[in-house]
Amino acid sequence: MADEKPYESPPEPIKSSSNSSPESSSFAIIEPKYDEEPIGKQSIPRRIWDSFKRDPSAHATPVGTLGANGKVFDLEGAAQATANTTLARKLKGRHLQMIAIGGSIGTGLFVGSGKALSNGGPAALLIGYSFIGIMLYCTVHALGEMAVLFPVAGSFSAYSTRFLDPAWGFAMGWNYCLQWLIALPLEIVAAAITVKYWHSPVSPAAWVAVFLVLIISINFFGVRAYGEAEFVFSIIKVIAVIGFIILGIILDIGGGQNGSYIGGKYWHDPGAFHNGFKGVCSVFVTASFAFAGTELVGLAAAETANPRKSLPTAVKQVFWRICLFYIVSLTLVGLLVPYNDQRLIGQSSSDAAASPFVIAIHNASIQGLDSVMNVVIMIAVLSVGNSSIYGSSRTLTALAEQQQAPKIFSYIDRNGRPVFSIMLSSAFGFLAFLAASSSEDKAFLWMQALSGLSSIFTWGSICLAHIRFRRAWRLQGHDLDDLAFRSQAGVIGSWIGLIFNILVLIAQFWTGFSPPRPNGDLPLKGTAALIENFFQAYLAVPIVLLCFFSYKIYFKTSIMHCNNMDLKTGIRELNLAELKEEERLEMAAWPKWKKAYKLFC
């Protein structure tokens, strides 16, 4: 608009950290300081107790920054609060890379893919996961570009607040927080399902208690413990998936114990598709749930020692995870398991413990290996459960620092842990005791539907925020060469990601009202059954809309204009010219194979 004024920085600059360059902006991120008090002579119990005290430099948005009526959202204060978070920056490059590679390899791939296979068939399974994979490739690159430049607490929800609308940022923050709050009991329920594969006489409630204690303990040891745990978990998952791919190829060409060649037999009988185009659409929400967690690399940027170096590598590795761990492994699953196998999840409640990966190995009559794969699946789902506490607690803390959640959740102790946020996230884990009830399978499907569609809103918002950010970056006189990391897909990729997200919402709306027919069952009949199925497919939508309109009406927020967007607060200042020259000289000495490798890694 012609009467708009360009964004003006606040009058009181914030002092930059001691390790910033002399040329750094006054808005460089403040590095937190921990353990300022001498503790060498204190007893161990006292040191543990003191570690949970509030960090002296911790802060939320200062009291009194709102308007006189208490209904004016302080966008500038919110940006400062997330930029200068006191979360501990202890994640290293190897942590971030493993979070990117294996952070979301869990229930959606190992267990949920069975439901997708039974609803759509092997061809629909590949189409659905490839579709979501392309969308995620574009989305994560857009997120990486913004997160390297603005490694702030809350990441994408903070970007929605800053580049779109504070009301939408509020809705996206709570949408993402709720997604991970629900994911914790979901993953533990899935772990209980895997244990039932061995016909264990132990009550599922006992296993739930063991898994809960393990996951909660890891997160209370701090972000470093989370990073190390994910590093180990991810290595196990990656080795297992690669091993399954090698084994699957051998079994498919007739290298199993019975020596029979399988090839593409199951693509002809019972067939490549089930339920036609509707079956393909039904795979989308399951695939979205499987890929949920890919965006955690952006959330972890605020707790990474050197996001300029670590984040681009982690973002590029998403390409390999999509291609290798999802597309290749699910191709083999479709070749080795027919979609009408009654052991697939959702087919029979008495055999709900088996995943298509385990079924494929069991069909090959390889004694003991199916149990090994089931152990890997249990580790994988616990890994995603571990990530769920991390994702929900960090998002909740960022919301509290922006005064979009109760202030108590902005509490950060001297070890950089958001204690009360972790406590709330852990409390949701007790919903996993549903595993001891007779409605376990139904609870699994309801929670999976909520988590899956929530991811679509998150990814769509990231793409739209990147589009708006790029426009503001250009209008405010900046050049693309000023960006520390540039998305390989660019703005076109963000448009592709946004359009794909909208198409998934449309497809899911259709399959919600007119669901595909399960194997061997009649179509759903009756109003109550159709309504239940619709809300299982579209549960996240009313929650997001309620949050958005309630906040917008109460605070009377407006859409952010590109000329007025804050592109300074929270920026990670770097001497880009010098860094890029060093990188150019280093790359010039690389052999051709390494240049090709670094293009994607």
Side-chain angles (χ1 to χ4, degrees):
M1 298 176 63
D3 57 345
E4 289 179 357
K5 296 180 180 179
Y7 175 80
E8 295 181 1
S9 57
E12 296 183 5
I14 297 176
K15 295 180 181 180
S16 61
S17 59
S18 58
N19 59 353
S20 300
S21 62
E23 301 173 0
S24 294
S25 164
S26 58
F27 293 93
I29 294 176
I30 296 177
E31 298 289 344
K33 297 179 181 179
Y34 306 109
D35 301 323
E36 293 183 347
E37 297 180 3
I39 60 174
K41 297 182 179 180
Q42 295 178 351
S43 64
I44 293 178
R46 177 60 186 275
R47 290 163 61 183
I48 294 175
W49 174 261
D50 286 348
S51 71
F52 286 94
K53 291 182 178 179
R54 182 187 286 271
D55 188 332
S57 59
H59 68 281
T61 308
V63 178
T65 54
L66 298 180
N69 62 356
K71 295 184 180 181
V72 179
F73 180 76
D74 180 26
L75 185 64
E76 181 182 299
Q80 296 284 4
T82 55
N84 300 310
T85 178
T86 54
L87 293 170
R89 298 191 180 102
K90 296 181 179 180
L91 288 179
K92 297 182 179 180
R94 62 184 177 88
H95 298 141
L96 213 60
Q97 290 173 30
M98 278 301 172
I99 290 172
I101 292 175
S104 63
I105 299 178
T107 309
L109 175 62
F110 288 125
V111 183
S113 58
K115 179 174 179 286
L117 178 61
S118 65
N119 281 341
L125 187 69
L126 280 183
I127 293 171
Y129 275 77
S130 299
F131 187 93
I132 301 297
I134 293 171
M135 180 177 71
L136 255 294
Y137 177 77
C138 299
T139 301
V140 173
H141 271 266
L143 175 61
E145 181 178 304
M146 294 186 291
V148 170
L149 192 64
F150 302 103
V152 300
S155 189
F156 25 85
S157 63
Y159 301 147
S160 293
T161 296
R162 187 184 293 197
F163 303 137
L164 300 178
D165 185 327
W168 190 249
F170 171 80
M172 287 301 97
W174 277 106
N175 168 71
Y176 193 72
C177 184
L178 183 61
Q179 171 190 336
W180 283 118
L181 287 174
I182 294 298
L184 175 59
L186 173 63
E187 298 302 325
I188 296 177
V189 166
I193 290 176
T194 61
V195 172
K196 288 171 66 175
Y197 181 78
W198 296 289
H199 307 288
S200 172
V202 181
S203 169
W207 290 111
V208 165
V210 172
F211 297 147
L212 263 179
V213 170
L214 175 63
I215 292 174
I216 293 173
S217 299
I218 290 173
N219 279 272
F220 267 109
F221 275 104
V223 69
R224 183 65 180 271
Y226 163 75
E228 294 294 349
E230 281 305 299
F231 183 78
V232 175
F233 288 156
S234 295
I235 287 177
I236 295 173
K237 291 186 290 186
V238 167
I239 292 174
V241 173
I242 293 175
F244 175 82
I245 290 172
I246 296 172
L247 176 64
I249 294 172
I250 294 173
L251 294 176
D252 190 62
I253 62 177
Q257 289 186 356
N258 54 16
S260 61
Y261 174 78
I262 300 175
K265 179 175 68 174
Y266 296 132
W267 281 62
H268 299 283
D269 181 21
F273 290 96
H274 184 223
N275 294 311
F277 181 67
K278 187 182 294 183
V280 176
C281 293
S282 70
V283 175
F284 288 150
V285 75
T286 307
S288 301
F289 169 78
F291 281 109
T294 307
E295 69 288 336
L296 275 173
V297 290
L299 193 67
E303 297 179 82
T304 302
N306 187 357
R308 165 69 178 88
K309 183 178 181 180
S310 304
L311 259 178
T313 300
V315 165
K316 291 176 183 178
Q317 287 178 346
V318 170
F319 171 82
W320 294 109
R321 190 183 71 180
I322 292 171
C323 291
L324 181 62
F325 301 133
Y326 283 94
I327 306 305
V328 176
S329 63
L330 290 177
T331 299
L332 291 167
V333 163
L335 291 172
L336 298 173
V337 181
Y339 70 71
N340 58 358
D341 193 308
Q342 294 300 309
R343 291 169 295 177
L344 292 171
I345 189 75
Q347 300 293 298
S348 170
S349 60
S350 62
D351 248 344
S355 84
F357 288 78
V358 176
I359 292 173
I361 295 174
H362 181 76
N363 289 346
S365 302
I366 303 176
Q367 296 296 325
L369 193 56
D370 55 340
S371 293
V372 172
M373 193 65 193
N374 221 48
V375 171
V376 173
I377 292 172
M378 187 161 50
I379 292 174
V381 296
L382 291 176
S383 170
V384 180
N386 185 38
S387 297
S388 68
I389 293 185
Y390 176 81
S392 58
S393 62
R394 269 55 179 185
T395 303
L396 184 58
T397 301
L399 287 169
E401 289 187 334
Q402 297 175 86
Q403 293 196 357
Q404 294 177 333
K407 186 178 179 181
I408 189 173
F409 295 116
S410 66
Y411 183 99
I412 300 174
D413 69 13
R414 298 185 180 187
N415 284 340
R417 298 171 297 199
V419 176
F420 290 108
S421 296
I422 294 176
M423 291 172 64
L424 178 66
S425 302
S426 302
F428 268 76
F430 289 93
L431 290 174
F433 284 101
L434 288 170
S437 71
S438 59
S439 58
E440 171 193 325
D441 294 347
K442 182 163 288 190
F444 180 87
L445 294 175
W446 273 101
M447 289 188 288
Q448 185 188 48
L450 177 62
S451 297
L453 212 55
S454 296
S455 299
I456 298 297
F457 280 102
T458 297
W459 300 333
S461 298
I462 291 172
C463 292
L464 184 57
H466 180 247
I467 293 168
R468 299 275 293 159
F469 159 73
R470 276 289 190 96
R471 177 171 170 78
W473 189 257
R474 178 174 56 83
L475 290 178
Q476 294 188 26
H478 298 286
D479 192 85
L480 291 181
D481 290 335
D482 297 333
L483 296 173
F485 169 71
R486 195 186 309 179
S487 167
Q488 289 181 342
V491 177
I492 294 177
S494 294
W495 276 111
I496 292 173
L498 179 61
I499 293 171
F500 277 18
N501 275 285
I502 294 173
L503 291 177
V504 170
L505 288 175
I506 294 172
Q508 198 57 29
F509 187 86
W510 176 41
T511 56
F513 266 122
S514 180
R517 185 173 62 181
N519 286 328
D521 292 343
L522 296 174
L524 288 176
K525 291 184 178 180
T527 304
L530 289 173
I531 290 176
E532 179 181 348
N533 186 81
F534 174 76
F535 278 103
Q536 280 185 349
Y538 237 65
L539 188 59
V541 176
I543 297 174
V544 169
L545 294 179
L546 178 63
C547 291
F548 173 70
F549 285 111
S550 299
Y551 197 86
K552 192 168 186 66
I553 292 171
Y554 188 81
F555 285 99
K556 298 179 174 60
T557 62
S558 59
I559 297 174
M560 297 301 301
H561 297 287
C562 292
N563 287 332
N564 293 338
M565 288 181 189
D566 179 2
L567 300 181
K568 293 184 178 181
T569 306
I571 197 169
R572 180 63 62 96
E573 294 292 349
L574 299 165
N575 190 337
L576 284 181
E578 182 177 337
L579 285 174
K580 288 184 176 181
E581 180 61 23
E582 291 179 1
E583 290 176 356
R584 188 187 66 80
L585 293 175
E586 183 181 357
M587 290 173 62
W590 289 348
K592 290 183 179 180
W593 69 265
K594 190 172 184 179
K595 291 180 180 179
Y597 171 79
K598 285 294 183 180
L599 179 64
F600 295 102
C601 293

